[in-house]
């Protein structure tokens, strides 16, 4: 397929939210392992909110939705949250492994995500947290998340801020 440049920022705390911050439409991340160091974890623990090892979100002040992000054969080790999918219209999570998260294996906020063939370990909160943006500030991605759990997954627990909405 066609190659496209995507901004990936690597440091201890990008935007005060993540160690690896990915922003860009039609992004595919595959065949890679992200592991948090003890030093970065200590920095995260002193931050004001739960920090992710890998966060996919729009990093601009306009807060736009990101369209189509695929994580395939990705492994994430550690962090308060392993993976944070935030404001993504079509997230495809396939063959992803998240181990030893402190709070959440994966957070899905105001996004649509399909998860297959993945192993998402639970932290103290859950394996997957389904979140929503609750704010009066203007935002393109205020609203509920839709998470489709397909075949071949090991997810010990899930947490939803607003369970059974629309059911």
């Amino acid at each position: 397929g066609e190659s496209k440049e995507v901004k990936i920022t690597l440091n201890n705390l990008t935007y005060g939210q993540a160690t690896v911050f990915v922003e860009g439409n039609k992004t595919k991340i595959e065949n890679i392992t992200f592991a948090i160091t003890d030093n970065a974890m200590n920095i995260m623990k002193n931050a004001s909110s739960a920090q992710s090892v890998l966060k996919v979100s729009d990093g601009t002040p306009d807060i736009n939705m990101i369209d189509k992000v695929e994580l395939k054969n990705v492994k994430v080790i550690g962090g308060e949250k392993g993976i944070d999918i935030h404001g993504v219209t079509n997230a495809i999570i396939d063959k992803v492994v998240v181990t030893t998260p402190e709070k959440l294996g994966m957070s899905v906020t105001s996004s649509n995500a399909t998860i297959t063939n993945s192993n998402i370990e639970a932290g103290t909160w859950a394996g997957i947290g389904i979140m929503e943006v609750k704010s009066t500030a203007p935002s393109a991605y205020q609203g509920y998340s839709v998470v489709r759990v397909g075949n071949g997954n090991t997810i010990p627990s899930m947490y939803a801020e607003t369970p059974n909405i629309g059911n």
Side-chain angles (χ1 to χ4, degrees), residues 12 16 20 24 45 51 57 68 75 80 83 92 94 116 126 139 141 149 163:
N12 282 340
V20 179
K45 286 181 179 180
Q51 304 300 313
S57 181
K68 193 167 185 186
K75 184 172 185 178
E80 286 189 348
I83 299 172
I92 300 167
D94 186 40
T116 55
S139 171
Y141 56 66
V149 180

Side-chain angles (χ1 to χ4, degrees), residues 5-54:
E5 184 177 322
V6 174
K7 182 179 178 184
I8 299 177
T9 307
L10 302 169
N11 63 24
N12 282 340
L13 289 175
T14 306
Y15 302 113
Q17 300 174 20
T19 301
V20 179
F21 193 95
V22 178
E23 51 188 302
N25 291 315
K26 297 180 176 81
T27 300
K28 185 174 187 176
I29 301 170
E30 68 181 318
N31 303 322
I32 191 167
T33 297
F34 298 101
I36 195 73
T37 64
D38 289 340
N39 182 48
M41 189 62 189
N42 288 332
I43 292 168
M44 287 179 171
K45 286 181 179 180
N46 292 322
S48 61
S49 62
Q51 304 300 313
S52 306
V53 176
L54 172 63

Side-chain angles (χ1 to χ4, degrees), residues 144-166:
Y144 301 103
S145 293
V146 176
V147 177
R148 294 168 200 82
V149 180
N151 295 323
N153 293 301
T154 303
I155 303 167
S157 60
M158 294 178 77
Y159 161 83
E161 285 186 333
T162 307
N164 302 319
I165 234 15

Side-chain angles (χ1 to χ4, degrees), residues 15-140:
Y15 302 113
Q17 300 174 20
T19 301
V20 179
F21 193 95
V22 178
E23 51 188 302
N25 291 315
K26 297 180 176 81
T27 300
K28 185 174 187 176
I29 301 170
E30 68 181 318
N31 303 322
I32 191 167
T33 297
F34 298 101
I36 195 73
T37 64
D38 289 340
N39 182 48
M41 189 62 189
N42 288 332
I43 292 168
M44 287 179 171
K45 286 181 179 180
N46 292 322
S48 61
S49 62
Q51 304 300 313
S52 306
V53 176
L54 172 63
K55 182 165 185 168
V56 179
S57 181
D58 177 60
T60 68
D62 296 333
I63 310 177
N64 298 305
M65 293 291 287
I66 290 178
D67 181 41
K68 193 167 185 186
V69 171
E70 185 175 350
L71 303 180
K72 187 171 184 175
N73 293 319
V74 172
K75 184 172 185 178
V76 175
I77 303 167
E80 286 189 348
K81 294 183 203 173
I83 299 172
D84 188 352
I85 305 294
H86 200 138
V88 179
T89 58
N90 184 16
I92 300 167
I93 315 299
D94 186 40
K95 298 177 184 161
V96 169
V97 175
V98 178
T99 61
T100 64
E102 188 173 284
K103 294 182 179 176
L104 274 173
M106 179 183 297
S107 173
V108 179
T109 305
S110 299
S111 297
N112 291 312
T114 301
I115 304 167
T116 55
N117 305 306
S118 295
N119 181 0
I120 312 296
E121 287 186 4
T124 56
W125 294 355
I128 297 177
I130 304 168
M131 314 296 191
E132 62 181 288
V133 172
K134 296 178 186 176
S135 173
T136 57
S139 171

